[in-house]
Amino acid sequence: QIMKSFRKYTFLLMTAMLLLVLAACGDSESGSETTEATTKTASNSEDTATPAEVQDVKLVLNWFAKAQHGGVYAAQENGLFEENGLNVTVEPGGPQVSSINMVASGNAQFGLAHADQIVMARNEGIELVAVATAMQGSPQAFMFHEGHGITDFEELNGREVFIQPGIIYWEYLKSQYDLSNVVELAYTGQHVNFIPKVESVTQAFLTSEPYFMELENVPVESKLISDAGYDPYNVVLYVTKDYLAENEATVKAFTTAFIEGWNLYKDSYEEINKLVQKDNPDIELASLKFEAEAQEQFVYGMDAAENGVGFMTEQRWATLIEQLHDLELLDEVFDAKDIFTTDYLVQ
């Protein structure tokens, strides 16, 4: 029992550190029921459409500015935040910046993170509420040399896999498949070791790594992690439960602009990407273009195709909570309605 507790503590510590890096590189029940805090404040709010006066708020991104934040930049460029009574400051994330810590401490009002990060935060006593998601699914994947891919995850056995220790989806895969013969090698963010080894496998994001391999003239193919059933929402807009209870109109206004920004980005991404690049000069416009086009299915497809950008379901959140609990990353299973709401999405 002592060893089990020590293993769990060690894994949680590594996961917390790695979640910052992972951010770089998301049914029948609509989830429209609000959180307990939202329900409480809704009856006390006479007007939830727009704030009574211009509000100064800050949004912390989950990583340096990229195409995955295109909707935010489209909203800024087209004055959507201003139209909704908001003066928004956008602060980039990065390996040393945790949007969750900044929002939880009150240094920012809004943040972007992946769904599993938001669930994990609750286990640490940080109560957050997701109000919209930019991506309906996760573009996390395994990347292979062309002609050396797999159809089943157990086919990874006997091969070298470049993976970051502690990545949640890798722990999930090992709980679902026998991967005891995989040769695990540390993923460093570089592909100098992957490129010459045609039988090797590396973790990747469909929205970025294939582009870099194309520049190296290395043909690749990939398999989504979601094929195994682990598919958290990505780039999720959230606030603290307390902030939502006290600022429902502001949350409604911000969410409205956020969603409308993403709708505009779909047909104007090449122009908006120039603004993204201003905040992140290290990324090329060609890379942003690839990312914008590769992420389109995740932003505008899946459930969003029928229900609109930002849509989330109770079933998806409940499944994620159960999965993290089964991995012993959560102390207890809680009601999905306590961590998300779709009440503020544009109808």
Side-chain angles (χ1 to χ4, degrees), residues 4-49:
K4 181 177 179 181
S5 298
F6 178 76
R7 180 182 67 80
K8 177 180 177 182
Y9 173 79
T10 302
F11 182 70
L12 285 172
L13 180 61
M14 293 182 67
T15 301
M17 297 172 64
L18 287 166
L19 283 175
L20 288 172
V21 179
L22 288 180
C25 292
D27 291 293
S28 59
E29 295 177 290
S30 68
S32 61
E33 297 159 287
T34 185
T35 63
E36 178 183 349
T38 304
T39 303
K40 184 185 298 182
T41 56
S43 62
N44 298 325
S45 176
E46 295 181 359
D47 178 16
T48 62

Side-chain angles (χ1 to χ4, degrees), residues 311-327:
F311 184 74
M312 302 176 292
T313 70
E314 181 179 340
Q315 180 179 347
R316 287 279 300 279
W317 280 100
T319 296
L320 176 61
I321 292 167
E322 289 280 358
Q323 289 172 332
L324 295 179
H325 182 261
D326 289 345
L327 290 173

Side-chain angles (χ1 to χ4, degrees), residues 2-312:
I2 294 176
M3 289 301 296
K4 181 177 179 181
S5 298
F6 178 76
R7 180 182 67 80
K8 177 180 177 182
Y9 173 79
T10 302
F11 182 70
L12 285 172
L13 180 61
M14 293 182 67
T15 301
M17 297 172 64
L18 287 166
L19 283 175
L20 288 172
V21 179
L22 288 180
C25 292
D27 291 293
S28 59
E29 295 177 290
S30 68
S32 61
E33 297 159 287
T34 185
T35 63
E36 178 183 349
T38 304
T39 303
K40 184 185 298 182
T41 56
S43 62
N44 298 325
S45 176
E46 295 181 359
D47 178 16
T48 62
T50 58
E53 57 185 22
V54 175
Q55 299 289 317
D56 292 325
V57 297
K58 179 185 290 185
L59 168 70
V60 184
L61 306 180
N62 58 304
W63 197 248
F64 301 115
K66 299 185 68 180
Q68 64 184 249
H69 310 121
V72 174
Y73 285 87
Q76 276 195 322
E77 175 65 9
N78 290 277
L80 299 180
F81 289 126
E82 291 85 348
E83 289 177 11
N84 283 277
L86 302 172
N87 178 34
V88 177
T89 299
V90 176
E91 183 167 324
Q96 305 301 322
V97 178
S98 166
S99 72
I100 289 177
N101 287 344
M102 291 193 67
V103 171
S105 66
N107 290 318
Q109 292 73 40
F110 295 86
L112 294 176
H114 300 327
D116 46 11
Q117 293 174 285
I118 293 173
V119 174
M120 294 283 287
R122 181 186 173 90
N123 204 58
E124 301 301 318
I126 303 173
E127 292 190 287
L128 307 175
V129 180
V131 294
T133 183
M135 292 192 187
Q136 290 295 315
S138 172
Q140 292 171 320
F142 283 127
M143 187 168 67
F144 313 86
H145 287 263
E146 189 175 71
H148 298 268
I150 62 172
T151 56
D152 184 85
F153 287 101
E154 289 192 351
E155 294 175 38
L156 293 171
N157 282 303
R159 302 175 71 168
E160 295 181 338
V161 177
F162 294 96
I163 194 81
Q164 287 174 321
I167 272 186
I168 296 177
Y169 69 70
W170 182 239
E171 298 304 317
Y172 173 81
L173 288 173
K174 289 193 292 186
S175 75
Q176 301 297 309
Y177 304 90
D178 178 7
L179 300 178
S180 56
N181 291 322
V182 169
V183 180
E184 294 184 37
L185 300 175
Y187 174 80
T188 63
Q190 305 297 320
H191 300 294
V192 292
N193 294 320
F194 164 76
I195 291 175
K197 299 180 178 182
V198 296
E199 289 296 326
S200 66
V201 182
T202 184
Q203 68 179 67
F205 273 76
L206 287 186
T207 54
S208 55
E209 270 82 0
Y211 170 76
F212 299 122
M213 291 299 96
E214 182 179 311
L215 295 181
E216 298 287 341
N217 295 314
V218 178
V220 295
E221 54 190 66
S222 58
K223 182 174 180 62
L224 283 167
I225 303 301
S226 60
D227 289 347
Y230 186 76
D231 191 23
Y233 291 119
N234 268 215
V235 194
V236 179
L237 178 66
Y238 68 89
V239 295
T240 65
K241 192 172 186 177
D242 287 343
Y243 183 81
L244 177 58
E246 299 172 3
N247 301 274
E248 191 177 6
T250 301
V251 173
K252 166 66 174 177
F254 193 104
T255 306
T256 297
F258 180 80
I259 297 303
E260 290 179 352
W262 273 111
N263 288 331
L264 289 176
Y265 184 72
K266 184 176 183 179
D267 295 321
S268 62
Y269 63 88
E270 291 195 75
E271 287 302 313
I272 299 301
N273 283 346
K274 296 175 183 177
L275 304 176
V276 175
Q277 190 189 45
K278 287 183 179 179
D279 277 3
N280 185 6
D282 292 332
I283 194 167
E284 298 179 355
L285 285 174
S287 178
L288 288 171
K289 183 176 186 294
F290 180 92
E291 183 184 3
E293 294 173 354
Q295 74 184 16
E296 182 173 350
Q297 61 174 318
F298 296 97
V299 178
Y300 306 104
M302 305 177 188
D303 283 345
E306 180 178 351
N307 300 287
V309 175
F311 184 74
M312 302 176 292

Side-chain angles (χ1 to χ4, degrees), residues 331-343:
D331 294 332
E332 61 181 7
V333 172
F334 58 89
D335 193 332
K337 293 190 295 294
D338 286 343
I339 204 169
F340 93 108
T341 176
T342 57
D343 281 2

